[in-house]
Amino acid sequence: MSTPVLLVIAHGSRDPRHAATVHALVRRVRALRPDVRVETGFLEFNVPSVPGVLESLATEGVRDVVALPLLLTRAFHAKTDIPAVLADAPARLNVRQAEVLGPSPLLLAALERRLYEAGLTPADKSSTGVVLASAGSSDPEAIAVIAEIAREWRRSGWCAVRPAFASASLPRTEDAVRELRELGCARVAVAPYVLAPGRLPDRIARGAAGADVLADVLGPSPEAARVLLERYDAARTPVLAAVGA
């Protein structure tokens, strides 16, 4: 019984930092699980493309693939784009789509890691307001998830946590920063809830100009790598069961 190949599906970007960060995260995943073959495919802008990787795997004789969307919420790409691409996979491949990475307690831990790396300490939590800044979506389910993550994170001891969005939804990062100032938080930090640099993370950074602290993107954090493998393991179990049937 073979272990399914893990195909990490990233959106892709004209910004070279995006692909570099994706590849760094994949390298961390490989280091954590050397028994798993991990491949990377992009929906657009970068190579290899997802269809190209699937075709190559089928040509090699691979049978089982877990396709994992490198996304933090279930929005358009996870619900529409990626299933459409996977539906066109070679017929000899058994492909199962894993769940997106978020929400996860590990990602909250990664957000805090990035804030501490940017200069905060655990002792600052009660006096610091945090903007949870995501890329944004027109999908109400995705927006609701971000709002719930902010509420949950607030309960861990921060002065306040407010969601913000770089596109499609409101408020913007700068508006959430202003709200936290008016609320009376001694300092304001912006935590980008995004995986890799690019146009929208740059917009978040510009909106954070009035904040005291701007954290880095999640990137190849150990927590993100662990979540990725959790999603892979959850999706591959039915694949293996089907193979053994």
Side-chain angles (χ1 to χ4, degrees), residues 83-167:
V85 171
L86 298 180
D88 290 334
R92 52 193 178 276
L93 285 179
N94 177 24
V95 182
R96 184 175 182 86
Q97 182 175 329
E99 291 295 332
V100 298
L101 301 185
S104 167
L106 283 169
L107 294 177
L108 282 180
L111 287 167
E112 294 212 359
R113 168 197 289 273
R114 293 303 190 219
L115 286 171
Y116 297 152
E117 290 171 349
L120 292 179
T121 70
D124 296 323
K125 291 183 74 168
S126 63
S127 58
T128 301
V130 179
V131 178
L132 178 69
S134 76
S137 172
S138 58
D139 188 311
E141 178 187 350
I143 298 305
V145 167
I146 298 299
E148 177 56 32
I149 291 170
R151 285 191 291 269
E152 179 182 347
W153 202 15
R154 164 67 182 84
R155 290 193 286 268
S156 72
W158 296 100
C159 173
V161 179
R162 295 290 187 271
F165 308 94
S167 68

Side-chain angles (χ1 to χ4, degrees), residues 23-44:
H23 290 311
L25 177 58
V26 168
R27 285 194 297 272
R28 186 178 285 274
V29 171
R30 288 182 179 132
L32 287 174
R33 290 284 291 277
D35 59 309
V36 176
R37 177 176 174 182
V38 187
E39 300 291 341
T40 308
F42 296 90
L43 291 175
E44 54 184 340

Side-chain angles (χ1 to χ4, degrees), residues 202-225:
D202 284 349
R203 185 178 296 172
I204 290 171
R206 290 193 296 272
D212 302 293
V213 173
L214 171 62
D216 200 358
V217 299
L218 295 173
S221 64
E223 296 87 355

